[in-house]
Each structure stands twice: as C-alpha cells, then as structure tokens.
Amino acid sequence: MSPSDLPVAEVLDLASGPRRREADELLAILGEISGEQPVVWAGRIIGFGEYEYHYESGHVGRAPLLAFATGPATHSI
C-alpha cells in the first residue's frame, strides 16, 4: 500500500448524508490524535502518519499509523 496524490475531499465525497458527517468527524478526530495531515492511501483509505514494516520473509511495506475508509453504509477504522 502506498500514499497517493488523490485529494482527501474526493474520497470523502464517496460518503453522503450521515456517513459524510461521520467521515468529517473521523477526519478531525484522527487528525487531532495523530497530529498528522490526512493522505489518501490505495485510492480510498484516508491515513494519518506512516510506518514501515518488515517481515522475517524479507517482505517490506508501508502503512498509515491511523486510517479509516468511508463507505455508503459503514466506515472501517
């Protein structure tokens, strides 16, 4: 997974009605907790901060420290 240049607002716009208000609240809460700016990862995940992980197998990857994904019915945190 990697960060992208996709605007955060574009991902937030995937949610509407109550889900959009919840997404806006999550954006504010996770931003305050992390102290980081939001960045879109993998085209639909809004992440804050970043870390790199290493497996014994040699696999290396990057992921956000905190993140959520919006959806039409639910959010994943």
Side-chain angles (χ1 to χ4, degrees):
M1 184 165 40
S2 60
S4 71
D5 293 330
L6 190 65
V8 171
E10 203 168 303
V11 175
L12 290 174
D13 286 343
L14 297 173
S16 61
R19 296 294 90 68
R20 175 55 193 259
R21 286 189 295 280
E22 292 166 356
D24 289 336
E25 289 178 23
L26 285 169
L27 188 73
I29 291 167
L30 295 181
E32 184 177 330
I33 290 169
S34 69
E36 301 282 346
Q37 293 297 310
V39 175
V40 176
W41 289 69
R44 63 177 238 99
I45 297 169
I46 299 175
F48 300 81
E50 170 179 334
Y51 72 97
E52 189 172 278
Y53 58 87
H54 303 262
Y55 291 132
E56 286 184 26
S57 66
H59 177 77
V60 177
R62 296 175 7 191
L65 290 170
L66 293 173
F68 73 97
T70 61
T74 61
H75 304 291
S76 297
I77 301 174

